[in-house]
Amino acid sequence: MLKQKNLSIVIPSLGGSKLENTLNFIYNMKIRPKETIICIPRSYKKNISLPERINPKIITTKIKGQVYQRLEGFKKARGKYVLQLDDDIKINNYCLNKLLEEISKKTDISISPLLVDRKNKYSLFDIKPKNFLFKIYHYLLNGRQGFKPGIISKAGIPYSFEKKKKIYEVEWLPGGCILHRRSNLIKKNYFKFKSEKAFCEDLFHSFYLRKKKIKLFVDTSLECDFDSFKGFKTLSFFNSLNLMFQDFRIRFCFIRLVKKSVYRMIFYYFILFLRLNYVFLKKF
């Protein structure tokens, strides 16, 4: 509990019920940080409606964008430790205290819990192959190494984490919930793409943290709930195609940055495009 007095929580948001629910959850879990910083674009400030018992610091930003908003919060954070948290993530007191306990032992790490879909209770990211066809698929994405938990494949696709109930080093961390030391924060804007969603931002962030010699760890014995993407079924075909193209464009830039395989990435999107068509054909 004492370590929470050295903690800043930074939440980029557009306001609304998700943010209110998350703040209520934090309060009800008896999480009492040094400060909670809400980073919101100026034009969205009217969307914030908070109970009187919750008194976070509100920072308005010139630009709407999850990464930009978060970085503005990082610049204002005063705690020794800084938790970056999405506004739909539910973190409990036990999970937070265990993360704080771990990061206090080392000066050069950032650490995350496992993010688990609130409804289905599974990790959102690519799952471990269960049959021969999936093994071929992952061979084409990542070569002879195939599927390996916690790495970024040669196609630029992040692989999910192995639930071994232990802490281990990985190549990337999901941006929804990461605990840092303030001295290790990336404060320069590394994500200047115009897109509806911050596709691949966690991959860029992980790359720049590792470039700064910060080791990335995940504790798979700890879990946080989140609301996952509802899937293509909730969107029109053209909206889904547009989002896929935005994702492709940004991931292509990541692939060039880290010198991975463009051809393997194109194969991934070819399969994704076939799956997209299959989903919409089933509707008719």
Side-chain angles (χ1 to χ4, degrees), residues 153-171:
S153 71
K154 293 176 181 177
I157 309 304
Y159 283 150
S160 60
F161 308 112
E162 196 163 10
K163 298 180 77 171
K164 286 186 173 180
K165 301 294 182 185
K166 70 171 190 176
I167 299 169
Y168 66 101
E169 189 172 358
V170 293
E171 291 184 0

PDB file of all heavy atoms in Angstrom, residues 153-171:
ATOM      1  N   SER A 153       6.505 -12.025 -34.212  1.00  0.00           N
ATOM      2  CA  SER A 153       6.888 -12.902 -35.319  1.00  0.00           C
ATOM      3  C   SER A 153       7.574 -12.125 -36.430  1.00  0.00           C
ATOM      4  O   SER A 153       7.553 -10.883 -36.473  1.00  0.00           O
ATOM      5  CB  SER A 153       5.656 -13.618 -35.879  1.00  0.00           C
ATOM      6  OG  SER A 153       4.838 -12.689 -36.579  1.00  0.00           O
ATOM      7  N   LYS A 154       8.169 -12.852 -37.369  1.00  0.00           N
ATOM      8  CA  LYS A 154       8.832 -12.220 -38.514  1.00  0.00           C
ATOM      9  C   LYS A 154       7.845 -11.478 -39.402  1.00  0.00           C
ATOM     10  O   LYS A 154       8.236 -10.622 -40.196  1.00  0.00           O
ATOM     11  CB  LYS A 154       9.586 -13.272 -39.320  1.00  0.00           C
ATOM     12  CG  LYS A 154      10.768 -13.865 -38.565  1.00  0.00           C
ATOM     13  CD  LYS A 154      11.443 -14.968 -39.352  1.00  0.00           C
ATOM     14  CE  LYS A 154      12.610 -15.556 -38.553  1.00  0.00           C
ATOM     15  NZ  LYS A 154      13.265 -16.689 -39.256  1.00  0.00           N
ATOM     16  N   ALA A 155       6.562 -11.802 -39.247  1.00  0.00           N
ATOM     17  CA  ALA A 155       5.515 -11.088 -39.985  1.00  0.00           C
ATOM     18  C   ALA A 155       5.060  -9.825 -39.249  1.00  0.00           C
ATOM     19  O   ALA A 155       4.184  -9.112 -39.722  1.00  0.00           O
ATOM     20  CB  ALA A 155       4.321 -12.012 -40.213  1.00  0.00           C
ATOM     21  N   GLY A 156       5.642  -9.575 -38.079  1.00  0.00           N
ATOM     22  CA  GLY A 156       5.258  -8.396 -37.293  1.00  0.00           C
ATOM     23  C   GLY A 156       3.999  -8.592 -36.468  1.00  0.00           C
ATOM     24  O   GLY A 156       3.391  -7.623 -36.028  1.00  0.00           O
ATOM     25  N   ILE A 157       3.612  -9.847 -36.243  1.00  0.00           N
ATOM     26  CA  ILE A 157       2.411 -10.170 -35.464  1.00  0.00           C
ATOM     27  C   ILE A 157       2.840 -10.571 -34.053  1.00  0.00           C
ATOM     28  O   ILE A 157       3.656 -11.486 -33.897  1.00  0.00           O
ATOM     29  CB  ILE A 157       1.611 -11.317 -36.122  1.00  0.00           C
ATOM     30  CG1 ILE A 157       1.368 -11.022 -37.603  1.00  0.00           C
ATOM     31  CG2 ILE A 157       0.310 -11.556 -35.373  1.00  0.00           C
ATOM     32  CD1 ILE A 157       0.672  -9.715 -37.875  1.00  0.00           C
ATOM     33  N   PRO A 158       2.305  -9.921 -33.018  1.00  0.00           N
ATOM     34  CA  PRO A 158       2.687 -10.300 -31.652  1.00  0.00           C
ATOM     35  C   PRO A 158       2.017 -11.593 -31.225  1.00  0.00           C
ATOM     36  O   PRO A 158       0.827 -11.792 -31.460  1.00  0.00           O
ATOM     37  CB  PRO A 158       2.180  -9.120 -30.819  1.00  0.00           C
ATOM     38  CG  PRO A 158       1.010  -8.583 -31.601  1.00  0.00           C
ATOM     39  CD  PRO A 158       1.347  -8.794 -33.041  1.00  0.00           C
ATOM     40  N   TYR A 159       2.796 -12.479 -30.611  1.00  0.00           N
ATOM     41  CA  TYR A 159       2.240 -13.723 -30.105  1.00  0.00           C
ATOM     42  C   TYR A 159       1.870 -13.576 -28.631  1.00  0.00           C
ATOM     43  O   TYR A 159       2.518 -12.857 -27.879  1.00  0.00           O
ATOM     44  CB  TYR A 159       3.250 -14.858 -30.273  1.00  0.00           C
ATOM     45  CG  TYR A 159       3.353 -15.385 -31.691  1.00  0.00           C
ATOM     46  CD1 TYR A 159       4.552 -15.907 -32.176  1.00  0.00           C
ATOM     47  CD2 TYR A 159       2.253 -15.372 -32.546  1.00  0.00           C
ATOM     48  CE1 TYR A 159       4.646 -16.412 -33.462  1.00  0.00           C
ATOM     49  CE2 TYR A 159       2.343 -15.870 -33.836  1.00  0.00           C
ATOM     50  CZ  TYR A 159       3.532 -16.387 -34.291  1.00  0.00           C
ATOM     51  OH  TYR A 159       3.617 -16.885 -35.565  1.00  0.00           O
ATOM     52  N   SER A 160       0.829 -14.295 -28.246  1.00  0.00           N
ATOM     53  CA  SER A 160       0.309 -14.213 -26.875  1.00  0.00           C
ATOM     54  C   SER A 160       1.300 -14.828 -25.885  1.00  0.00           C
ATOM     55  O   SER A 160       2.336 -15.382 -26.268  1.00  0.00           O
ATOM     56  CB  SER A 160      -1.040 -14.936 -26.791  1.00  0.00           C
ATOM     57  OG  SER A 160      -0.884 -16.289 -27.149  1.00  0.00           O
ATOM     58  N   PHE A 161       0.949 -14.741 -24.622  1.00  0.00           N
ATOM     59  CA  PHE A 161       1.861 -15.143 -23.555  1.00  0.00           C
ATOM     60  C   PHE A 161       1.468 -16.492 -22.975  1.00  0.00           C
ATOM     61  O   PHE A 161       0.292 -16.821 -22.891  1.00  0.00           O
ATOM     62  CB  PHE A 161       1.869 -14.078 -22.458  1.00  0.00           C
ATOM     63  CG  PHE A 161       2.122 -12.697 -22.989  1.00  0.00           C
ATOM     64  CD1 PHE A 161       1.123 -11.732 -22.962  1.00  0.00           C
ATOM     65  CD2 PHE A 161       3.340 -12.374 -23.549  1.00  0.00           C
ATOM     66  CE1 PHE A 161       1.347 -10.467 -23.472  1.00  0.00           C
ATOM     67  CE2 PHE A 161       3.579 -11.104 -24.063  1.00  0.00           C
ATOM     68  CZ  PHE A 161       2.577 -10.152 -24.022  1.00  0.00           C
ATOM     69  N   GLU A 162       2.476 -17.246 -22.591  1.00  0.00           N
ATOM     70  CA  GLU A 162       2.246 -18.583 -22.045  1.00  0.00           C
ATOM     71  C   GLU A 162       1.865 -18.482 -20.574  1.00  0.00           C
ATOM     72  O   GLU A 162       2.557 -17.832 -19.789  1.00  0.00           O
ATOM     73  CB  GLU A 162       3.509 -19.439 -22.207  1.00  0.00           C
ATOM     74  CG  GLU A 162       3.256 -20.903 -22.039  1.00  0.00           C
ATOM     75  CD  GLU A 162       4.397 -21.740 -22.589  1.00  0.00           C
ATOM     76  OE1 GLU A 162       5.443 -21.183 -22.923  1.00  0.00           O
ATOM     77  OE2 GLU A 162       4.222 -22.962 -22.677  1.00  0.00           O
ATOM     78  N   LYS A 163       0.758 -19.122 -20.213  1.00  0.00           N
ATOM     79  CA  LYS A 163       0.251 -19.021 -18.834  1.00  0.00           C
ATOM     80  C   LYS A 163       0.963 -20.035 -17.942  1.00  0.00           C
ATOM     81  O   LYS A 163       0.403 -21.059 -17.563  1.00  0.00           O
ATOM     82  CB  LYS A 163      -1.255 -19.218 -18.815  1.00  0.00           C
ATOM     83  CG  LYS A 163      -2.012 -18.152 -19.611  1.00  0.00           C
ATOM     84  CD  LYS A 163      -3.502 -18.364 -19.583  1.00  0.00           C
ATOM     85  CE  LYS A 163      -4.096 -17.917 -18.276  1.00  0.00           C
ATOM     86  NZ  LYS A 163      -5.582 -17.924 -18.300  1.00  0.00           N
ATOM     87  N   LYS A 164       2.215 -19.735 -17.618  1.00  0.00           N
ATOM     88  CA  LYS A 164       3.003 -20.639 -16.782  1.00  0.00           C
ATOM     89  C   LYS A 164       3.026 -20.223 -15.317  1.00  0.00           C
ATOM     90  O   LYS A 164       3.781 -20.759 -14.522  1.00  0.00           O
ATOM     91  CB  LYS A 164       4.445 -20.705 -17.303  1.00  0.00           C
ATOM     92  CG  LYS A 164       4.602 -21.512 -18.582  1.00  0.00           C
ATOM     93  CD  LYS A 164       6.076 -21.652 -18.927  1.00  0.00           C
ATOM     94  CE  LYS A 164       6.257 -22.597 -20.112  1.00  0.00           C
ATOM     95  NZ  LYS A 164       7.687 -22.756 -20.475  1.00  0.00           N
ATOM     96  N   LYS A 165       2.207 -19.211 -14.995  1.00  0.00           N
ATOM     97  CA  LYS A 165       2.162 -18.719 -13.611  1.00  0.00           C
ATOM     98  C   LYS A 165       3.544 -18.255 -13.144  1.00  0.00           C
ATOM     99  O   LYS A 165       4.001 -18.555 -12.057  1.00  0.00           O
ATOM    100  CB  LYS A 165       1.634 -19.798 -12.663  1.00  0.00           C
ATOM    101  CG  LYS A 165       0.243 -20.300 -13.008  1.00  0.00           C
ATOM    102  CD  LYS A 165      -0.805 -19.218 -12.833  1.00  0.00           C
ATOM    103  CE  LYS A 165      -2.203 -19.729 -13.128  1.00  0.00           C
ATOM    104  NZ  LYS A 165      -3.223 -18.685 -13.088  1.00  0.00           N
ATOM    105  N   LYS A 166       4.234 -17.531 -14.035  1.00  0.00           N
ATOM    106  CA  LYS A 166       5.540 -17.011 -13.642  1.00  0.00           C
ATOM    107  C   LYS A 166       5.837 -15.735 -14.421  1.00  0.00           C
ATOM    108  O   LYS A 166       5.149 -15.375 -15.377  1.00  0.00           O
ATOM    109  CB  LYS A 166       6.634 -18.046 -13.893  1.00  0.00           C
ATOM    110  CG  LYS A 166       6.933 -18.290 -15.363  1.00  0.00           C
ATOM    111  CD  LYS A 166       8.175 -19.146 -15.531  1.00  0.00           C
ATOM    112  CE  LYS A 166       8.611 -19.194 -17.000  1.00  0.00           C
ATOM    113  NZ  LYS A 166       9.855 -19.929 -17.193  1.00  0.00           N
ATOM    114  N   ILE A 167       6.875 -15.056 -13.985  1.00  0.00           N
ATOM    115  CA  ILE A 167       7.314 -13.832 -14.644  1.00  0.00           C
ATOM    116  C   ILE A 167       8.428 -14.198 -15.627  1.00  0.00           C
ATOM    117  O   ILE A 167       9.365 -14.915 -15.269  1.00  0.00           O
ATOM    118  CB  ILE A 167       7.855 -12.824 -13.606  1.00  0.00           C
ATOM    119  CG1 ILE A 167       6.758 -12.460 -12.603  1.00  0.00           C
ATOM    120  CG2 ILE A 167       8.396 -11.577 -14.276  1.00  0.00           C
ATOM    121  CD1 ILE A 167       7.253 -11.700 -11.405  1.00  0.00           C
ATOM    122  N   TYR A 168       8.297 -13.738 -16.861  1.00  0.00           N
ATOM    123  CA  TYR A 168       9.384 -13.986 -17.798  1.00  0.00           C
ATOM    124  C   TYR A 168       9.505 -12.845 -18.805  1.00  0.00           C
ATOM    125  O   TYR A 168       8.565 -12.073 -19.013  1.00  0.00           O
ATOM    126  CB  TYR A 168       9.225 -15.331 -18.509  1.00  0.00           C
ATOM    127  CG  TYR A 168       8.045 -15.467 -19.436  1.00  0.00           C
ATOM    128  CD1 TYR A 168       8.198 -15.357 -20.818  1.00  0.00           C
ATOM    129  CD2 TYR A 168       6.769 -15.745 -18.941  1.00  0.00           C
ATOM    130  CE1 TYR A 168       7.123 -15.508 -21.674  1.00  0.00           C
ATOM    131  CE2 TYR A 168       5.688 -15.884 -19.792  1.00  0.00           C
ATOM    132  CZ  TYR A 168       5.871 -15.768 -21.157  1.00  0.00           C
ATOM    133  OH  TYR A 168       4.800 -15.905 -21.996  1.00  0.00           O
ATOM    134  N   GLU A 169      10.678 -12.735 -19.414  1.00  0.00           N
ATOM    135  CA  GLU A 169      10.969 -11.635 -20.326  1.00  0.00           C
ATOM    136  C   GLU A 169      10.344 -11.902 -21.689  1.00  0.00           C
ATOM    137  O   GLU A 169      10.336 -13.039 -22.175  1.00  0.00           O
ATOM    138  CB  GLU A 169      12.477 -11.443 -20.471  1.00  0.00           C
ATOM    139  CG  GLU A 169      12.847 -10.174 -21.232  1.00  0.00           C
ATOM    140  CD  GLU A 169      14.333  -9.867 -21.223  1.00  0.00           C
ATOM    141  OE1 GLU A 169      15.095 -10.628 -20.578  1.00  0.00           O
ATOM    142  OE2 GLU A 169      14.730  -8.873 -21.871  1.00  0.00           O
ATOM    143  N   VAL A 170       9.823 -10.847 -22.310  1.00  0.00           N
ATOM    144  CA  VAL A 170       9.150 -10.959 -23.603  1.00  0.00           C
ATOM    145  C   VAL A 170       9.645  -9.840 -24.523  1.00  0.00           C
ATOM    146  O   VAL A 170      10.392  -8.954 -24.111  1.00  0.00           O
ATOM    147  CB  VAL A 170       7.612 -10.862 -23.441  1.00  0.00           C
ATOM    148  CG1 VAL A 170       7.075 -12.061 -22.686  1.00  0.00           C
ATOM    149  CG2 VAL A 170       7.215  -9.565 -22.729  1.00  0.00           C
ATOM    150  N   GLU A 171       9.204  -9.891 -25.795  1.00  0.00           N
ATOM    151  CA  GLU A 171       9.616  -8.882 -26.766  1.00  0.00           C
ATOM    152  C   GLU A 171       8.643  -7.716 -26.863  1.00  0.00           C
ATOM    153  O   GLU A 171       8.973  -6.689 -27.446  1.00  0.00           O
ATOM    154  CB  GLU A 171       9.768  -9.524 -28.153  1.00  0.00           C
ATOM    155  CG  GLU A 171      10.929 -10.477 -28.268  1.00  0.00           C
ATOM    156  CD  GLU A 171      11.113 -11.021 -29.676  1.00  0.00           C
ATOM    157  OE1 GLU A 171      10.333 -10.664 -30.578  1.00  0.00           O
ATOM    158  OE2 GLU A 171      12.051 -11.820 -29.880  1.00  0.00           O
TER     159      GLU A 171
END
